[in-house]
Amino acid sequence: MCGIVGAVAQRDVAPILVEGLKRLEYRGYDSAGLAVIDRQGVMGCLRRIGKVRELEDALGEKPVQGGTGIAHTRWATHGEPSERNAHPHTSDDISVVHNGIIENHEELREQLQDLGYIFASDTDTEVIAHLVHHERKTSTTLLEALQKTVVQLTGAYGTVVIDRREPDHMVVARSGSPLVIGYGIGEHYVASDQLALLPVTRRFQYLEEGDVAEITCGKVEVYDRNGALVQHEIIDSDLDHEAGDKGSYRHYMLKEIFEQPEAIANTLEGRLTEAHVAVESFGHNAREIFSKVEAIQLIACGTSYNAGMVARNWFEDMGIPCRVEIASEFRYRKAFVAENSLFVTISQSGETADTLASLRLAKDEQGFIHTLSICNVPGSSMVRESDMAFMTRAGAEIGVASTKAFTTQLVSLLMLVVAIGRCKNRLSESDEATIVAELRELPGVIRDVLQQKEAITELSEDFADKHHSLFLGRGTMYPIAMEGALKLKEISYIHAEAYAAGELKHGPLALIDSDMPVVVVAPNNELLEKLKSNMEEVRARGGQLYVFSDPRAMLVAGEGIKVITLTEVSDLLAPIVYTVPLQLLSYDVALIKGTDVDQPRNLAKSVTVE
Ligand code: M6R
């Protein structure tokens, strides 16, 4: 949720920290701050409520400089967004930034208060600063003080600590919240996401759960939870340095919507042969595992859950039982696990707390035969902790509203369905060849749909003064209606609800009037006639329909109905294709309403807390 950057160098690190924060701002953006120590051991600390540019402006007026520093952009959990709750938090010479939640912070706060510590914020993080300060008194090194501190913490943390008296290094700890160390030449860095550090390095080492590390200009030493010195693999990032830039687009979201043809082409790249999905792209032993699989359990949150809902239809159409569940529900109930079930997490970030906790539960306590992560971030916790991983290759997604991550998840899931279907002989060779041919066409089809931007912009004007809206679909288009509603509410703040269209007369029809726009995803498929009846139910009650359809569906615009006609596509690809106009609609409505499209209120990109 929040973003962390830290650096140790022979030069002033403040510009590295600010650039890193800007690149992480999508993760949390209600306040930001940094602390920097110069060679004389003078610590400068600056915190501001609001976005990183507020901090940057403040730095312009009151520069702080030094070779060791930490910085943070916050998404409030404990304590309102305010300057006093912004990170870094300090305890005398110690300064700390932290992502995650310290669950036993109240108990620790009381103990520390009894020891005479005075708290200056309402945050859980401040206990880390005081605890490190307290432990430092009886430790020979700052690292030892951090090690003694973390064993007292319950909850999740990615934390970086500096000490004014030891200006040449920083110490870090990870448990439940990711941290990655960046390797430079004669300088080193740490961040919660490699994106923050791409301007200064492409070489990264991810910390594992329970690791602590000491970082100086000349060396990085990582210790595991047992205190043993460890060296994890140092990887070369293939993320584009420009990944964090908007280019000529007004918003990241728009850029990411328009990147979908390329993102999907990347997802497919090297994973399709002439007429097959290359099963091995899921892992060297995927063929053997998939042949044994008898059921699928999909787990995800938000947009990724909607992708899972589409995939359930695809799996079950092929006769493969599939359950899909929201991670925050799954992890707290006794779920039935069918024999030989494959556990699949779907996540853009690979760090979503509930999805990750479900994965750990599946591995440690439930009888799944294997775990697979469909994910966009290489090196993320889910990727590292799953038996198999399939990268969606959407590229960095900065806009909080998920767009290209969703469509590439769908493409990945469709490939998974095909791979398992073939391994289990549930899909004929010729049907596989047809799907593969359609997948190859997909980037071009999406390009065509993007041409409809202007027509969709016109529609969006009707929504700007509305407070509520309904989204309808049936079959695989019902989750697409869910995704459309999620996008609209998330960035335009218009209340949007999705219904399986057949449910309309069981309650929501009572809401219909001229102030309730009803968006319908209506490609020509075997459910179209049923859907048309549902649309008539809306029209008969004075509702206004906004229908996304194709020429074969023969839906004509008229009184109470506006129609956007898209390219004809197969039933299988329709969920992917029909997502795009709904993304554009939400974007345009948000633009008219003047909301913060890329960083909508109260939200953050990566939800690493429960
Ligand atoms: O990183 P994840 O895919 O696990 O994130 C799950 C949700 O938080 C995410 O999909 C969220 O719903 C989207 N940002 C909505 O656009």
Side-chain angles (χ1 to χ4, degrees):
M1 316 278 307
C2 310
I4 285 179
V5 199
V8 189
Q10 304 284 3
R11 55 177 168 147
D12 176 26
V13 295
I16 301 176
L17 300 181
V18 172
E19 175 60 24
L21 285 187
K22 283 187 190 160
R23 291 171 153 257
L24 291 184
E25 192 168 33
Y26 69 106
R27 296 177 71 108
Y29 33 81
D30 53 45
S31 53
L34 55 71
V36 179
I37 310 173
D38 69 16
R39 287 212 183 88
Q40 284 69 46
V42 176
M43 181 146 64
C45 186
L46 212 53
R47 301 182 296 179
R48 284 293 177 273
I49 188 161
K51 301 215 170 181
V52 176
R53 66 169 175 271
E54 308 290 338
L55 180 71
E56 201 178 12
D57 290 349
L59 267 174
E61 285 164 24
K62 190 183 164 213
V64 293
Q65 289 183 341
T68 297
I70 52 177
H72 190 267
T73 176
R74 180 170 187 249
W75 186 87
T77 56
H78 292 71
E80 55 169 14
S82 65
E83 205 165 298
R84 61 191 279 274
N85 287 332
H87 301 212
H89 290 284
T90 50
S91 182
D92 198 4
D93 300 316
I94 304 287
S95 201
V96 171
V97 289
H98 160 234
N99 283 359
I101 289 182
I102 305 304
E103 287 167 2
N104 59 340
H105 72 103
E106 280 173 357
E107 187 188 321
L108 291 170
R109 181 181 272 253
E110 275 174 29
Q111 288 170 18
L112 287 158
Q113 278 166 338
D114 289 347
L115 288 168
Y117 284 97
I118 294 164
F119 280 75
S121 78
D122 308 317
T123 65
D124 51 339
T125 302
E126 197 179 348
V127 299
I128 304 180
H130 294 315
L131 259 184
V132 173
H133 182 271
H134 176 63
E135 296 298 349
R136 185 71 188 90
K137 294 176 195 160
T138 53
S139 306
T140 47
T141 63
L142 185 60
L143 187 75
E144 188 188 331
L146 181 62
Q147 281 168 318
K148 286 182 184 166
T149 297
V150 293
V151 292
Q152 299 173 61
L153 305 177
T154 309
Y157 51 83
T159 188
V160 188
V161 183
I162 54 175
D163 185 337
R164 191 185 60 74
R165 293 158 299 182
E166 303 170 44
D168 60 343
H169 70 301
M170 57 188 174
V171 293
V172 310
R174 177 216 157 123
S175 180
S177 197
L179 281 181
V180 63
I181 295 173
Y183 286 74
I185 299 168
E187 53 190 47
H188 290 116
Y189 328 95
V190 67
S192 49
D193 185 328
Q194 47 169 278
L195 200 61
L197 302 176
L198 287 177
V200 282
T201 186
R202 310 191 67 80
R203 298 181 66 229
F204 296 103
Q205 176 179 192
Y206 277 91
L207 293 185
E208 299 283 353
E209 290 295 276
D211 282 352
V212 295
E214 180 170 24
I215 302 171
T216 65
C217 287
K219 70 174 189 324
V220 173
E221 281 180 351
V222 181
Y223 299 85
D224 69 12
R225 66 172 82 243
N226 302 316
L229 194 62
V230 287
Q231 170 72 55
H232 306 304
E233 188 190 0
I234 296 175
I235 54 157
D236 283 317
S237 173
D238 56 6
L239 266 184
D240 184 359
H241 173 157
E242 305 294 315
D245 292 340
K246 278 200 281 260
S248 56
Y249 288 92
R250 186 161 167 195
H251 293 101
Y252 285 110
M253 183 182 178
L254 190 62
K255 174 177 178 250
E256 288 157 7
I257 291 173
F258 275 84
E259 279 172 351
Q260 288 177 109
E262 195 192 338
I264 290 172
N266 288 339
T267 312
L268 298 172
E269 174 78 39
R271 288 158 163 180
L272 300 179
T273 65
E274 184 69 20
H276 299 287
V277 166
V279 178
E280 284 67 29
S281 44
F282 289 90
H284 66 97
N285 52 351
R287 195 172 291 278
E288 187 195 330
I289 293 165
F290 289 174
S291 318
K292 289 190 202 136
V293 164
E294 283 171 38
I296 312 288
Q297 174 72 66
L298 302 174
I299 292 293
C301 301
T303 285
S304 301
Y305 170 77
N306 294 340
M309 287 283 288
V310 175
R312 181 183 68 174
N313 285 272
W314 288 336
F315 275 116
E316 299 212 329
D317 276 354
M318 218 167 268
I320 300 166
C322 177
R323 292 158 172 256
V324 53
E325 192 159 346
I326 294 167
S328 54
E329 289 296 311
F330 179 83
R331 65 181 288 197
Y332 289 116
R333 72 182 192 90
K334 287 200 174 64
F336 171 75
V337 179
E339 214 164 303
N340 293 329
S341 288
L342 176 68
F343 185 87
V344 183
T345 52
I346 311 164
S347 175
Q348 188 285 128
S349 61
E351 302 294 349
T352 302
D354 287 314
T355 312
L356 188 57
S358 301
L359 169 64
R360 289 178 180 155
L361 191 74
K363 285 180 69 169
D364 299 342
E365 293 173 31
Q366 298 167 323
F368 289 96
I369 58 165
H370 269 281
T371 56
L372 164 68
S373 168
I374 306 265
C375 189
N376 194 39
V377 180
S380 60
S381 302
M382 275 177 231
V383 168
R384 285 180 296 116
E385 294 185 31
S386 299
D387 302 328
M388 297 184 279
F390 188 85
M391 305 316 302
T392 48
R393 298 186 189 155
E397 191 182 69
I398 309 287
V400 165
S402 214
T403 52
K404 60 178 181 171
F406 179 68
T407 45
T408 54
Q409 282 170 349
L410 288 177
V411 170
S412 305
L413 285 161
L414 184 51
M415 283 197 273
L416 178 66
V417 172
V418 171
I420 295 182
R422 279 298 291 150
C423 290
K424 299 202 63 64
N425 285 325
R426 297 289 167 94
L427 181 71
S428 72
E429 211 161 319
S430 68
D431 283 349
E432 181 181 15
T434 308
I435 298 172
V436 166
E438 285 176 6
L439 279 170
R440 285 191 203 288
E441 298 295 316
L442 188 57
V445 177
I446 305 273
R447 247 173 235 121
D448 289 348
V449 175
L450 288 167
Q451 304 285 330
Q452 301 267 27
K453 168 98 174 61
E454 252 175 58
I456 295 166
T457 303
E458 261 176 51
L459 274 197
S460 65
E461 282 157 20
D462 291 9
F463 286 70
D465 62 339
K466 300 293 187 296
H467 298 290
H468 307 277
S469 60
L470 277 185
F471 283 67
L472 303 179
R474 298 186 81 128
T476 50
M477 304 315 282
Y478 166 46
I480 299 309
M482 288 163 60
E483 177 57 10
L486 177 58
K487 285 293 89 92
L488 188 69
K489 75 180 85 161
E490 179 178 25
I491 60 166
S492 75
Y493 316 149
I494 294 175
H495 171 220
E497 271 193 85
Y499 276 93
E503 272 293 289
L504 207 53
K505 57 177 95 50
H506 298 290
L509 204 51
L511 295 170
I512 301 296
D513 62 18
S514 55
D515 279 333
M516 172 72 94
V518 180
V519 177
V520 189
V521 260
N524 180 36
N525 60 24
E526 59 180 19
L527 292 168
L528 181 67
E529 289 312 314
K530 307 269 177 214
L531 191 61
K532 280 184 175 171
S533 309
N534 303 137
M535 287 192 246
E536 283 312 314
E537 291 160 10
V538 172
R539 270 179 96 179
R541 283 150 187 92
Q544 175 68 48
L545 292 164
Y546 298 87
V547 186
F548 294 90
S549 191
D550 65 32
R552 285 174 306 158
M554 313 247 273
L555 281 157
V556 186
E559 174 87 29
I561 173 166
K562 292 191 178 178
V563 182
I564 297 275
T565 307
L566 307 176
T567 318
E568 268 180 43
V569 285
S570 71
D571 287 359
L572 213 54
L573 295 192
I576 308 172
V577 173
Y578 278 72
T579 298
V580 177
L582 301 184
Q583 296 168 342
L584 288 169
L585 178 69
S586 307
Y587 175 79
D588 282 327
V589 175
L591 213 57
I592 299 172
K593 292 203 70 183
T595 55
D596 191 340
V597 173
D598 285 330
Q599 296 174 348
R601 69 185 180 202
N602 307 337
L603 298 179
K605 183 71 182 165
S606 182
V607 186
T608 51
V609 293
E610 249 197 275

